[in-house]
């Protein structure tokens, strides 16, 4: 990010955000920006799998029921919501009103996905999240997650055209 990025733009980044440098784009695209979180995992503050930590503004955009469920588990380096919304910036960039789309479409569905994970937490799902995360980092256009996890909540109509179910 460029200097004072938070004061120049919105609370979320979008595709082609001018605040992100070329090096920053590469680091984000390859998920190298996640490496410092390994220290938090080693300290026990985070898990490898769990709902991604959010800024307060973003956490507040989750429905209350989702917030309650998310607080039951440790945050993770990767989670079910981050797998399905790996292209969140592109989705928001395509929206007519990105703030509304984020608050009223993305976050409620991402919250439902995180609730699903908390309710279905198991060693199998933990390992599947690790596998699928690795897979989508290597193959970003892959939609493998839709076939690996069963019983996921259906996406809202505004997302069904944007994500392959």
């Amino acid at each position: 990010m460029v200097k004072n990025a938070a004061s120049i733009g919105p609370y979320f980044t979008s595709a082609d955000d001018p605040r992100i440098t070329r090096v920053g784009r590469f680091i984000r695209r390859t998920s190298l920006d996640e490496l410092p979180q390994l220290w938090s995992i080693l300290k026990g503050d985070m898990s490898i799998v769990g709902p991604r930590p959010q800024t307060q503004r973003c956490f507040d955009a989750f429905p209350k029921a989702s917030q309650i469920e998310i607080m039951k588990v440790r945050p993770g380096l990767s989670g079910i919501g981050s797998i399905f919304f790996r292209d969140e910036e592109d989705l928001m960039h395509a929206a007519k009103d990105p703030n509304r789309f984020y608050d009223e479409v993305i976050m409620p569905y991402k919250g439902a996905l995180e609730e699903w994970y908390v309710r279905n937490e198991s060693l199998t799902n933990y390992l599947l999240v690790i596998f699928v995360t690795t897979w989508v980092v290597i193959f970003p256009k892959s939609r493998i997650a839709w076939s690996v996890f069963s019983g996921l909540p259906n996406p809202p109509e505004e997302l069904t055209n944007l994500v392959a179910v």
Side-chain angles (χ1 to χ4, degrees):
M1 290 287 227
V2 297
K3 190 174 183 176
N4 297 321
S7 63
I8 332 176
Y11 57 91
F12 57 85
T13 55
S14 60
D16 301 324
D17 193 318
R19 299 172 299 162
I20 302 174
T21 64
R22 252 184 21 202
V23 172
R25 279 189 218 300
F26 172 78
I27 290 170
R28 289 170 61 106
R29 188 175 50 250
T30 57
S31 299
L32 290 173
D33 58 334
E34 305 297 338
L35 289 177
Q37 292 183 27
L38 291 177
W39 178 247
S40 293
I41 292 169
L42 292 173
K43 288 186 347 187
D45 296 336
M46 287 180 71
S47 176
I48 294 172
V49 175
R52 294 282 297 146
Q54 303 285 328
T55 63
Q56 190 63 50
R57 162 61 179 95
C58 294
F59 184 76
D60 290 344
F62 280 124
K64 274 289 183 221
S66 298
Q67 291 176 12
I68 291 166
E69 290 300 304
I70 289 168
M71 295 299 292
K72 291 180 180 177
V73 296
R74 278 187 291 166
L77 179 63
S78 182
I80 194 87
S82 57
I83 290 171
F84 285 92
F85 284 97
R86 184 152 175 79
D87 59 350
E88 182 175 296
E89 295 172 359
D90 295 332
L91 293 174
M92 291 177 58
H93 182 69
K96 290 180 184 173
D97 181 352
N99 288 329
R100 185 206 67 78
F101 190 72
Y102 184 79
D103 290 340
E104 297 177 15
V105 179
I106 290 178
M107 291 309 278
Y109 186 60
K110 190 185 279 190
L113 289 170
E114 299 297 5
E115 287 182 56
W116 176 91
Y117 181 77
V118 173
R119 283 192 309 271
N120 294 280
E121 193 173 23
S122 67
L123 180 59
T124 301
N125 281 334
Y126 190 92
L127 295 173
L128 282 173
V129 168
I130 293 170
F131 168 76
V132 173
T133 298
T134 305
W135 185 268
V136 298
V137 166
I138 296 168
F139 304 105
K141 300 295 183 196
S142 173
R143 299 296 182 197
I144 191 174
W146 291 105
S147 58
V148 169
F149 300 103
S150 60
L152 291 171
N154 291 322
E157 190 174 319
E158 287 180 278
L159 286 174
T160 54
N161 295 338
L162 304 173
V163 293
V165 208

